[in-house]
Amino acid sequence: MRKVALGVSSSISIYKACEVIRLFQSEGLGVRVIMTEKATRFIQPYLFTSLTGERTIVELFDDQQRPIEHISLVDEISLLLIAPATANIIGKLASGVADDFLSTFYLAAKCPVLVAPAMNEAMFLHPQTQENIRKLKALGVEFVEPDTGYLACGKKGPGRLASPETIVHHGLRLIKSREPFRDKVFLVTAGPTREFLDPVRFVSNPSSGKMGYELAREAWQLGAEVILVSGPTGLEAPAGVYLEKVNTAEEMREAVRKHYSRADVVLMAAAVADFRFKKTLSDKARKTEIGQTLEIEPTPDILEELGRQKQRQLLVGFAAETGRLGERAAEKMKKKKVDLMVGNDVSGPGVGFASDENEVTLFWPDGRSRKIPRMSKRKISQEIMAEIEVLLNERKGKS
Ligand code: C5P
C-alpha cells in the first residue's frame, strides 16, 4: 500500500489534518503523521495515532522509534505533505534547517513534497515568507495556495488553510500523475443544458453533472490539463480544472469548438438537451400564449460535429438509454465516430441521472464491450481513465 507522510505544524487549523487523513484513507492510502513539538500543544499525538493506526512521530531521538527512522520511512512513502504549514516550518525548509524530525525528514525525502500554508495574512504576505515560498518552489516543492477569508486572528485575507478536499486533490495528482496523461489536454463536458422558451422557462433533464465532474477530477489527478465545459449544476469544479460555464446547447457547442483544436481527449459526458424552442422570447410569455409558441427544433449534435472534424482527438461519448443499450450505443458510436462509448442504462433504480452510483458498459468500435458493475461514479471514472490510458498508449505505439 502506498503511504503519505503528513507533516503537521502548530496552526489553529490543525484540526483539518484529521479530515485530510480520512480523505487519503478513502482513496486507499495509508498515512503516517509527523508532528512538530509545538503542534502537540494543540492536539495530542495519540489522536493521529488512533486515526492512522500508526504511531505518530514527534521526536528526532525517541527510544520507541527504530534507529534512523527518518531514513527508513523515506522508502515507504509516495508523498510528503505538510498541512498545516506555519511560517516557521516554511522558513526552516527554505533555509535547510534540520532541527526536528519533520525538517530533517524533508531533507531526506526523495518523493514529491506538497506544502499547504496556514497563517495570519500579514505573515503570509510578508516578503520574507513570500521569498521562502519562491525559493522552495524553485526547488520543486509544490504549494496549495491558502484560501482568503476570516482568519483566527479576526482579520480577513489570504492565509486560511485550503480545504482538505483541495489539499488531498493536489496530493493525489503528485502521487498518481502518469506519463500518457501528462501534457495532454482533456476537454470534458458535464451536466444538462437548458433551452429557454422565455427568460423564466426552459426544457432540460435531470443530469446532475456528477459523472463529468468526477472524470475532470480524475483526469487532472492523472496529470492532464483539464477544461471542463459545464451546464448548470450545483457542483464545485475540482481545483486545478479550468471551468467554463454554459447554459444552452448552442453555448456548449461554442465553448467546445473554441477548445477542440487543443484537445487530445474529449469526454462528452454532458446530457445535451435534444431539442430547443425555435424562438426564445425576450419577455415572459403569458400562460395563454404558450400553447401557440411551442415550436421546437433539434439542437446541434455537438459530438457528431466533433466526429466529423476529428483529427488526432480521442472521442469518448456517453449514451444514456432505457433499453437495447448495446444496439443503440453501437449505432451512436458509428454515427458520431467515437473511439469509446460509455453506455448507461438509466432505467434501473439508484443508477444514472443524479445518482452517486452508476453501472455502465463500455463499447469499442471493433465490437468489444466490457461491463462495469455498479459502483461509485468516482470509481467508474477511474475505470474509464484506465481504458483511455490503453487507447493513448496504443496511439503512441503506432505513431
Ligand atoms: O443524446 P444522445 O444519446 O445522442 O447522446 C450521446 C452522446 O452525444 C453524448 O456523449 C452526448 O453528450 C452527445 N450529444 C451531443 N449533442 C447533442 C446530443 C448529444 O454532443 N445535441
Side-chain angles (χ1 to χ4, degrees), residues 166-399:
T166 300
I167 294 171
V168 171
H169 180 55
H170 273 262
L172 290 172
R173 178 164 161 113
L174 295 181
I175 295 170
K176 286 163 64 172
S177 169
R178 281 209 294 277
E179 179 47 44
F181 295 91
R182 273 185 226 132
D183 304 320
K184 294 283 189 313
V185 177
F186 274 57
L187 176 58
V188 183
T189 66
T193 65
R194 288 178 178 172
E195 311 304 326
F196 286 86
L197 166 68
D198 65 17
V200 297
R201 301 182 182 94
F202 56 79
V203 286
S204 191
N205 58 63
S207 166
S208 62
K210 278 181 195 157
M211 195 66 237
Y213 277 63
E214 287 295 348
L215 289 161
R217 178 181 183 273
E218 191 61 29
W220 191 80
Q221 287 181 2
L222 288 167
E225 175 187 336
V226 183
I227 302 163
L228 175 62
V229 176
S230 172
T233 70
L235 303 173
E236 215 174 290
V241 166
Y242 173 76
L243 173 70
E244 203 159 317
K245 283 187 175 174
V246 296
N247 259 313
T248 64
E250 193 55 49
E251 287 169 15
M252 184 169 278
R253 176 202 209 181
E254 283 310 308
V256 167
R257 268 185 180 173
K258 195 169 70 190
H259 299 292
Y260 191 47
S261 62
R262 282 193 66 226
D264 297 290
V265 180
V266 181
L267 294 133
M268 248 340 263
V272 186
D274 291 315
F275 63 88
R276 63 186 174 195
F277 298 101
K278 269 195 173 160
K279 231 166 61 187
T280 299
L281 307 172
S282 50
D283 289 320
K284 183 180 171 186
R286 293 172 60 191
K287 276 185 210 161
T288 47
E289 284 174 309
I290 288 179
Q292 297 141 31
T293 357
L294 285 184
E295 262 197 278
I296 58 168
E297 63 182 9
T299 52
D301 195 314
I302 305 169
L303 188 53
E304 201 175 332
E305 278 180 15
L306 299 182
R308 279 199 297 271
Q309 295 157 13
K310 187 159 80 165
Q311 289 170 336
R312 65 173 200 296
Q313 291 90 347
L314 206 134
L315 288 188
V316 183
F318 290 73
E321 307 291 348
T322 53
R324 291 162 56 203
L325 183 62
E327 203 180 302
R328 293 204 166 125
E331 237 168 63
K332 286 180 183 173
M333 182 161 47
K334 213 166 160 194
K335 188 168 151 226
K336 307 191 188 199
K337 296 201 178 67
V338 307
D339 303 287
L340 177 65
M341 190 59 121
V342 182
N344 185 189
D345 190 336
V346 288
S347 56
V351 292
F353 280 141
S355 154
D356 283 335
E357 291 196 320
N358 216 348
E359 191 182 294
V360 301
T361 308
L362 306 183
F363 299 93
W364 284 265
D366 62 7
R368 271 182 308 135
S369 67
R370 181 189 151 204
K371 194 171 161 83
I372 300 179
R374 186 174 173 145
M375 58 178 80
S376 69
K377 287 185 174 169
R378 178 157 300 176
K379 287 242 167 67
I380 296 225
S381 73
Q382 288 165 354
E383 295 290 331
I384 293 172
M385 287 301 158
E387 297 296 355
I388 289 174
E389 185 171 2
V390 173
L391 292 174
L392 287 172
N393 282 333
E394 271 174 21
R395 289 199 167 184
K396 202 173 161 211
K398 279 184 199 154
S399 65

